[in-house]
């Protein structure tokens, strides 16, 4: 199948004259013409050429309730008429912070930001200020925003990344300050022996361990049983703060995020994406004993658009639905996700294609591999990512939009009929490949 892309091609031609690289984010670089969306509603997108797509990108995850959910649209519209930026406090931010503290197991205090990278930066600064230490332990394959201090060893070339059990810090871009790598310790994910060894080696130096509790920026990889529990214990033994980067998992896997889903409590957490239905709101939350070091004025945290009222209105409307209708919302997400995963597995088996379909359900990954599991970045890197790019293009031509690396997000707007249509399109795409 071939989509009509006449208008999209013309727009892309113009974009290359005025936008660096023709796009506004490197995540939107694709082979050929990028997707130019005209509008979105529910589980669907329509592009500028009139093509319709079942959408499993959902704005990289935020549209948990589907695109333009009426309650959120109504809240945004009402607040925009009352004011879009105050640079002052307002009642809604207090209500949203209170609801987050009620929903998220580890949250006793909250500070708002605009995007996830800012919230991560705030968490790391707070951890360093609280502990008086400078070093951060992060995991290979984990993404914590595009700012210089943490953009290391996300998807490095394996031949440049060092030994599997002792990776080196590989910068994610030219232009990073080389000294930032000195403050990072890179650890393989799901390797408790390596984690224990590195913590012992750098005892008294590490301010925080930061992790995606379910690794969603490199596949959709759950922690091994007992792994996060051991990480929590090791952090306590060494006086290290544990930070969960729940930008993707927060409010998607459970009302209280991955920490509720997995039953492990961090000291600090960062949230974004799904908390405001797509509006630009992020949050740093955590234990009062740590968070209150911001309120003393010792540790700076500021921003003109922090708790911006239109975004907070969207967060209030979204979190009310997720909290007060939790059984309906999460029952639907897990049921639809499970059905889609089973359908994709069956289609791949029928086509004789070695494929792994894995993840919690509200978010999951498809991998071209004969391996029975993918447990870390090196396992992900060994899958056939070029074939996955081909699948992404074939699915777009058949009206299904997924994250190019093979990640799928579900929303409450996806219906059983949508799932069936997606499985049919997937089977056809595999045949074309």
């Amino acid at each position: 199948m071939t989509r009509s892309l006449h208008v999209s091609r013309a727009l892309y031609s113009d974009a290359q004259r005025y936008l660096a690289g023709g796009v506004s984010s490197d995540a939107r670089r694709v082979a050929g013409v990028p997707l130019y969306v005209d509008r979105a509603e529910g589980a669907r997108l329509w592009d500028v050429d009139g093509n319709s797509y079942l959408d499993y990108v959902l704005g990289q995850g935020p549209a948990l309730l589907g695109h333009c959910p009426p309650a959120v649209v109504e809240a945004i519209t009402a607040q925009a008429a009352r004011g879009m930026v105050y640079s002052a406090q307002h009642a809604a931010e207090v209500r949203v912070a209170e609801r987050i503290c009620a929903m998220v197991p580890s949250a006793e205090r909250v500070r708002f930001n605009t995007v996830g990278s800012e919230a991560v930066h705030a968490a790391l600064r707070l951890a360093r200020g609280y502990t008086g230490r400078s070093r951060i332990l992060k995991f290979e394959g984990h993404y914590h925003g595009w700012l210089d201090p943490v953009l290391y060893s996300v998807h490095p070339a394996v031949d440049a990344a060092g030994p599997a059990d002792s990776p080196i810090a590989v910068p994610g871009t030219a232009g990073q300050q080389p000294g930032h790598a000195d403050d990072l310790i890179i650890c393989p994910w799901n390797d408790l022996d390596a984690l224990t060894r590195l913590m012992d080696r750098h005892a008294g130096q590490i301010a925080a361990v930061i992790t995606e509790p379910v690794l969603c920026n490199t596949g959709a990889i759950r922690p091994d049983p007992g792994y996060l529990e051991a990480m929590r214990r090791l952090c306590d033994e060494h006086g290290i703060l544990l930070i969960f980067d729940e930008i993707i998992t927060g409010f998607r896997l459970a009302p209280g995020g991955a920490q509720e889903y997995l039953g492990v409590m961090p000291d600090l957490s960062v949230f974004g994406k799904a908390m405001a239905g797509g509006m630009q709101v992020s949050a740093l939350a955590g234990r009062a004993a740590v968070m209150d070091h911001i309120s003393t004025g010792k540790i700076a945290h500021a921003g003109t658009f922090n708790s911006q009222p239109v975004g907070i209105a969207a967060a209030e409307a979204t979190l009310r639905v997720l909290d007060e209708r939790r059984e309906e919302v999460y029952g639907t997400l897990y049921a639809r996700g499970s059905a889609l995963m089973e359908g994709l597995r069956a289609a791949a088996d029928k086509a004789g294609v070695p494929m792994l379909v894995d993840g919690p359900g509200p978010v999951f990954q498809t991998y071209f591999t004969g391996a029975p599991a993918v447990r870390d970045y090196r396992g992900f890197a060994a899958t056939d990512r070029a074939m996955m790019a081909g699948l992404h293009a074939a699915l777009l031509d058949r009206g299904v939009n997924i994250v190019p690396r093979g990640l799928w997000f579900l929303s409450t707007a996806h219906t059983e009929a949508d799932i069936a249509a997606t499985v049919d399109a997937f089977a056809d795409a595999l045949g074309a490949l």
Side-chain angles (χ1 to χ4, degrees):
M1 298 181 183
T2 303
R3 294 169 291 154
S4 169
L5 295 175
H6 177 74
V7 180
S8 297
R9 292 183 192 282
L11 276 173
Y12 189 42
S13 178
D14 289 344
Q16 290 174 304
R17 296 170 59 194
Y18 302 111
L19 290 169
V23 293
S24 292
S25 169
D26 287 345
R28 299 173 202 161
R29 290 181 185 270
V30 295
V33 181
L35 184 61
Y36 281 89
V37 175
D38 177 62
R39 64 187 179 91
E41 183 178 355
R44 287 191 174 270
L45 302 173
W46 289 264
D47 69 15
V48 293
D49 290 281
N51 300 301
S52 172
Y53 306 86
L54 279 167
D55 186 28
Y56 295 95
V57 176
L58 301 175
Q60 295 289 340
L64 185 65
L65 301 176
H67 294 286
C68 301
V72 178
V73 172
E74 181 181 345
I76 291 170
T77 303
Q79 180 56 52
R82 295 169 61 86
M84 288 181 278
V85 61
Y86 298 146
S87 193
Q89 301 304 113
H90 54 97
E93 68 182 312
V94 181
R95 294 193 298 268
V96 173
E98 181 181 8
R99 192 177 288 272
I100 290 172
C101 289
M103 294 175 71
V104 175
S106 68
E108 296 175 339
R109 301 281 193 274
V110 178
R111 273 291 182 108
F112 292 109
N113 281 110
T114 305
V115 296
S117 293
E118 286 181 289
V120 168
H121 197 66
L124 298 182
R125 175 181 290 174
L126 176 56
R128 287 181 167 123
Y130 177 80
T131 63
R133 303 172 181 177
S134 63
R135 305 195 75 178
I136 303 296
L137 188 148
K138 78 171 291 284
F139 296 92
E140 190 176 54
H142 292 225
Y143 176 74
H144 304 296
W146 71 287
L147 299 181
D148 279 8
V150 288
L151 190 60
Y152 284 84
S153 299
V154 179
H155 290 160
V158 172
D159 60 1
D165 64 349
S166 185
I168 62 174
V170 180
T173 178
Q176 286 179 259
Q177 290 277 28
H180 286 309
D182 297 337
D183 287 331
L184 289 179
I185 299 162
I186 309 299
C187 185
W189 174 243
N190 268 335
D191 186 337
L192 183 55
D193 288 342
L195 179 62
T196 303
R197 183 175 65 251
L198 287 170
M199 283 194 174
D200 288 341
R201 182 185 302 167
H202 301 284
Q205 302 174 16
I206 303 172
V209 170
I210 185 168
T211 182
E212 296 180 62
V214 175
L215 176 49
C216 294
N217 280 288
T218 297
I221 306 174
R222 283 169 285 202
D224 288 346
Y227 181 63
L228 289 184
E229 290 85 351
M231 188 185 299
R232 172 72 274 176
R233 175 180 52 78
L234 287 167
C235 285
D236 290 340
E237 290 174 0
H238 287 274
I240 296 168
L241 295 185
L242 178 58
I243 303 172
F244 277 5
D245 183 340
E246 295 228 43
I247 298 297
I248 290 179
T249 57
F251 308 108
R252 172 163 284 281
L253 298 187
Q259 56 196 265
E260 177 186 339
Y261 173 73
L262 296 167
V264 179
M265 292 267 283
D267 299 295
L268 297 171
S269 306
V270 292
F271 298 94
K273 297 193 186 295
M275 71 176 289
M279 289 296 290
Q280 304 93 323
V281 180
S282 62
L284 167 63
R287 293 194 293 115
V290 180
M291 292 290 294
D292 284 347
H293 279 249
I294 294 174
S295 63
T296 65
K298 284 179 56 180
I299 299 169
H301 178 262
T304 299
F305 295 104
N306 291 358
S307 72
Q308 188 260 5
V310 178
I312 290 293
E316 183 169 28
T318 301
L319 294 178
R320 181 185 298 116
V321 173
L322 300 183
D323 190 11
E324 297 177 4
R325 294 167 50 193
R326 57 179 60 201
E327 291 186 9
E328 174 190 350
V329 166
Y330 294 96
T332 298
L333 286 172
Y334 279 93
R336 298 285 189 271
S338 295
L340 181 54
M341 291 169 71
E342 287 300 323
L344 301 184
R345 288 188 190 107
D349 287 345
K350 185 175 181 179
V353 174
M355 174 169 279
L356 175 65
V357 183
D358 195 25
V363 57
F364 67 87
Q365 174 82 21
T366 45
Y367 312 85
F368 284 111
T369 180
V374 172
R375 298 179 55 253
D376 56 21
Y377 171 66
R378 303 293 172 111
F380 172 80
T383 66
D384 193 335
R385 289 183 282 176
M387 191 170 180
M388 185 55 63
L391 176 64
H392 169 256
L395 285 171
L396 269 182
D397 280 341
R398 288 155 180 80
V400 175
N401 184 38
I402 69 169
V403 179
R405 65 180 181 271
L407 194 67
W408 301 63
F409 291 104
L410 272 292
S411 79
T412 58
H414 286 99
T415 66
E416 292 180 358
D418 292 335
I419 300 304
T422 301
V423 172
D424 288 345
F426 183 84
D428 194 49
L430 285 181
L433 289 178

